[in-house]
Amino acid sequence: MKSNNGSPVLIKKHHLEDWIGRIYTTFCVSLLVIVIVSMMYFVASKGLTTFIKDGVNVGDFLFGTKWDPNGDNPVFGALPFIAGSFATSLLAALIASPLSICAALFMNEIVPSWGKRLLQPVIELLAGIPSVVYGFVGLSVIVPLFRDVFPGQGIGIAAGSLVLSVMILPTITSIASDALSSLPKGLKESSYALGATRWQTIYSVILPTVMPSLLTGVVLGMARAFGEALAVQMVIGNAPHIPHSLFESASTLTSVITLNMGNTVMGSVQNNALWSMALALMVMTFIFVIVVRLLERRHRL
Amino acid sequence: MKPRTADKIATGVIVTFSSIIVAVLLGLLGFILFRGLSHISWSFLTSVPQTIRAGGGIGPQLFNSLFLLVLTLIITIPLGLGAGIYMAEYAKPGKITSSIRLVVEVLSSFPSIVVGLFGLLLIVNTFGFGFSLFSGALVLTIFNLPLMVRVTEQAFRGVPKEQKEAGLALGLSKWKIIVSILLPVAIPNLVTGTVLAAGRVFGEAAALLFTAGMSTPRLDFTNWNPLSPTSPINPFRPAETLAVHIWKINSEGLAPDAMAIAAGASAVLVILVLIFNLTARWLGRVLYQAFTASKVIK
């Protein structure tokens, strides 16, 4: 482009703006990508040190039931923590899923007129309450209650999963509710036209159709429960072995990391073992994301 | 069983379960406010915590939480806006875009403790920022970015297509359209989303344990030199936030009134989060009216 006075290229102001805008937004996105890639790299390299440099056997780490980092012959079996994490998040999902799905049905099928107006704020408030507050309430309500009703100290996997189940209610409910409200209207109406009752319609038409989305919600809820640290740590008791009952002190991956990361020396074997657990958490996150993706793909078909 | 009876029973179960959720929320809020409100007073909100004696307050923690939130938003908003605009306006459908989407999804489902550990490794140790407000703000930015990107993208995608086409028909450049046509329309949703995200950041503790630290130096609130170690606004000092404080006194509190302090601090935290929620909704509505000169339909 030649201008009148002969200067070779005239960059107009809006071209420059356009360029700056494009470069800036691209920069932001690349930063996001760089952060996640470096996060994966750093946590993985630190977590693998335990196995490569310190010579801990991967099998012993994953399936060893004895965690004794300070003994004469230190043993790093993380199974109690891995089992604790799985037990709490599975139980939490078991408690929360029926409640959440019923709440979503209530909002969209039973009273569509005002159900959403009532439950939507409830769900949002539940999602907004900070996790330490959940932990505090669990510690001062659920734990004493369990101590009175059941044998044991009240702390343990039962208390942990009950606290977690309330925390993941909003996740599952909002995904289930979104799925229900995006169903085509004709589906329901044709079922009613055949003379089906509301429950028959829900049970044999609506639920099978939205099943992949419901499962997505449950998996995302479990992912949240799996990664939750402080609320669980406060009520689970933090004993480093596999409990014999739900009301006995136990540990999860997150709780042991929270408690010990500050008390161990960076670079020591025990510290590296904690990083390996962080790596395990990260791998589980990937697995959850992959499962969600698969479910979504099935939903699209 | 007759279908009609089954229908009645199922409806009953669904209504009961939904009421349980409402009851859980009311019980939670009631418990927190009932236990906590009696402990909240001006001196509780402003005085410093005590380690072994009763009567400590949460003054520095409250200030730290608010200051950390401001720092985080200063870093998050420009980055989140930029990345969100890219996803909404520049990204072309294809392999690269879908892998960026995957990255955002993975980042948003990372446990906050893992994000905190990454911060400990890279920001605190490798970059040498130590336990500081700045490290905390960076970690919270990582933790918050996926949400901000999603909020921005949805806000921009929510703008009616005709408005963008009108801009294109006027021969405006892409950036001009983004800044002067799309952004004003998107602002109400952006503000609502940002304030809600801020509420989430406010209650976050797991990511801060190993980045912002679990202690606060003695602060001198008359010292406003940002480089002095006792100044409250020095971003490179360690800072224990309100959420971290609640966790700490619950797990290792030695003061005789630790439970009461935890109750009071929880109530303060919950009230602030409630305020964030209400403000988000109110601001969104007001801005929507101001920018579009129309009444809200819903």
Side-chain angles (χ1 to χ4, degrees):
Chain A
M1 199 198 296
K2 290 250 177 189
S3 68
N4 289 341
N5 57 17
S7 70
V9 181
L10 184 76
I11 300 172
K12 290 213 175 110
K13 191 173 151 246
H14 69 260
H15 282 136
L16 196 67
E17 272 178 4
D18 230 22
W19 266 104
I20 292 173
R22 185 175 270 275
I23 291 169
Y24 175 67
T25 54
T26 317
F27 163 76
C28 291
V29 165
S30 353
L31 199 69
L32 204 63
V33 177
I34 292 170
V35 164
I36 186 132
V37 170
S38 56
M39 193 137 93
M40 276 157 22
Y41 170 76
F42 278 104
V43 175
S45 64
K46 196 86 176 127
L48 291 175
T49 324
T50 324
F51 309 121
I52 296 166
K53 212 175 110 241
D54 303 328
V56 176
N57 191 321
V58 183
D60 289 348
F61 179 78
L62 288 179
F63 303 109
T65 51
K66 195 158 183 274
W67 174 260
D68 182 19
N70 298 319
D72 293 334
N73 191 10
V75 196
F76 300 94
L79 188 66
F81 314 121
I82 298 174
S85 281
F86 272 104
T88 43
S89 49
L90 273 174
L91 260 179
L94 265 179
I95 304 171
S97 307
L99 285 169
S100 311
I101 292 170
C102 283
L105 286 171
F106 183 82
M107 278 192 265
N108 293 288
E109 306 299 331
I110 308 287
V111 275
S113 51
W114 52 269
K116 250 202 172 108
R117 278 221 305 275
L118 171 77
L119 279 182
Q120 196 74 32
V122 170
I123 295 301
E124 279 168 16
L125 283 178
L126 278 179
I129 295 178
S131 64
V132 280
V133 175
Y134 277 112
F136 165 69
V137 175
L139 199 58
S140 42
V141 180
I142 296 175
V143 170
L145 184 80
F146 279 4
R147 187 160 47 212
D148 294 342
V149 179
F150 300 102
Q153 289 294 306
I155 46 182
I157 288 181
S161 29
L162 199 57
V163 169
L164 280 176
S165 69
V166 182
M167 297 181 70
I168 64 175
L169 271 178
T171 316
I172 309 180
T173 310
S174 53
I175 293 171
S177 174
D178 284 350
L180 286 175
S181 63
S182 66
L183 271 186
K185 254 200 150 126
L187 212 62
K188 226 175 0 180
E189 280 161 3
S190 45
S191 167
Y192 285 138
L194 288 171
T197 63
R198 185 163 60 198
W199 172 241
Q200 282 172 328
T201 309
I202 291 175
Y203 183 76
S204 30
V205 177
I206 295 177
L207 285 185
T209 323
V210 294
M211 196 43 89
S213 309
L214 295 186
L215 288 177
T216 305
V218 174
V219 172
L220 284 176
M222 268 188 68
R224 186 164 175 217
F226 206 87
E228 174 52 47
L230 301 188
V232 185
Q233 187 272 323
M234 285 158 92
V235 296
I236 204 163
N238 306 306
H241 32 70
I242 297 178
H244 299 291
S245 87
L246 293 178
F247 302 97
E248 220 171 84
S249 177
S251 279
T252 64
L253 287 171
T254 48
S255 75
V256 72
I257 295 175
T258 316
L259 275 184
N260 295 326
M261 192 51 96
N263 308 329
T264 51
V265 184
M266 205 62 153
S268 64
V269 190
Q270 190 187 357
N271 187 277
N272 286 341
L274 293 176
W275 282 97
S276 305
M277 290 187 212
L279 178 62
L281 277 176
M282 204 161 83
V283 171
M284 274 313 293
T285 310
F286 290 136
I287 294 175
F288 283 127
V289 170
I290 291 170
V291 171
V292 166
R293 287 256 152 166
L294 289 177
L295 283 169
E296 276 169 354
R297 190 166 303 157
R298 222 190 107 195
H299 187 51
R300 226 176 288 143
L301 289 175
Chain B
M1 203 192 303
K2 275 194 198 148
R4 204 169 276 277
T5 335
D7 184 56
K8 282 218 174 89
I9 294 173
T11 310
V13 169
I14 292 174
V15 172
T16 321
F17 277 17
S18 309
S19 335
I20 290 177
I21 295 185
V22 179
V24 164
L25 175 81
L26 292 180
L28 262 172
L29 287 182
F31 176 80
I32 295 163
L33 296 181
F34 177 74
R35 280 282 299 270
L37 278 183
S38 57
H39 201 77
I40 296 176
S41 64
W42 182 246
S43 70
F44 177 67
L45 290 179
T46 50
S47 60
V48 292
Q50 303 286 348
T51 32
I52 31 178
R53 274 181 297 137
I58 52 162
Q61 281 75 19
L62 192 58
F63 176 82
N64 286 341
S65 282
L66 293 169
F67 187 43
L68 186 60
L69 179 63
V70 173
L71 278 180
T72 308
L73 288 183
I74 291 175
I75 309 174
T76 314
I77 291 176
L79 289 177
L81 264 181
I85 290 176
Y86 181 90
M87 294 309 284
E89 299 299 322
Y90 289 108
K92 294 185 186 74
K95 275 228 170 82
I96 297 177
T97 308
S98 61
S99 52
I100 295 176
R101 252 176 236 292
L102 181 66
V103 163
V104 176
E105 197 182 321
V106 168
L107 188 54
S108 70
S109 42
F110 263 164
S112 58
I113 181 110
V114 173
V115 180
L117 289 180
F118 169 68
L120 171 69
L121 194 58
L122 193 69
I123 303 167
V124 175
N125 287 341
T126 310
F127 292 166
F129 285 111
F131 290 143
S132 67
L133 278 164
F134 184 70
S135 310
L138 284 183
V139 165
L140 286 182
T141 300
I142 300 176
F143 171 73
N144 204 18
L145 256 185
L147 189 64
M148 279 304 293
V149 171
R150 204 174 312 149
V151 164
T152 311
E153 194 186 342
Q154 277 170 1
F156 271 82
R157 283 194 194 279
V159 179
K161 220 174 158 193
E162 290 77 10
Q163 298 204 2
K164 195 173 159 188
E165 282 166 358
L168 286 169
L170 285 171
L172 296 180
S173 70
K174 189 154 192 169
W175 185 245
K176 193 84 188 155
I177 292 175
I178 291 172
V179 174
S180 354
I181 297 179
L182 301 182
L183 187 62
V185 186
I187 269 188
N189 284 335
L190 278 179
V191 170
T192 311
T194 311
V195 180
L196 284 178
R200 209 170 76 116
V201 164
F202 201 76
E204 178 53 40
L208 291 177
L209 289 179
F210 306 119
T211 50
M214 290 189 247
S215 62
T216 306
R218 199 151 273 282
L219 297 179
D220 175 10
F221 276 87
T222 52
N223 181 355
W224 292 97
N225 172 13
L227 296 174
S228 151
T230 57
S231 163
I233 58 166
N234 178 3
F236 298 105
R237 65 176 171 87
E240 180 195 31
T241 65
L242 198 53
V244 174
H245 189 60
I246 295 175
W247 178 74
K248 209 174 96 180
I249 45 184
N250 266 311
S251 46
E252 52 193 55
L254 294 174
D257 57 347
M259 273 328 234
I261 291 174
S266 300
V268 172
L269 200 58
V270 167
I271 290 171
L272 283 169
V273 170
L274 284 182
I275 292 175
F276 274 114
N277 270 298
L278 294 177
T279 320
R281 253 154 267 286
W282 173 79
L283 258 183
R285 221 167 38 230
V286 168
L287 288 172
Y288 186 81
Q289 281 171 359
F291 279 104
T292 57
S294 63
K295 291 260 183 289
V296 186
I297 302 152
K298 260 197 271 183

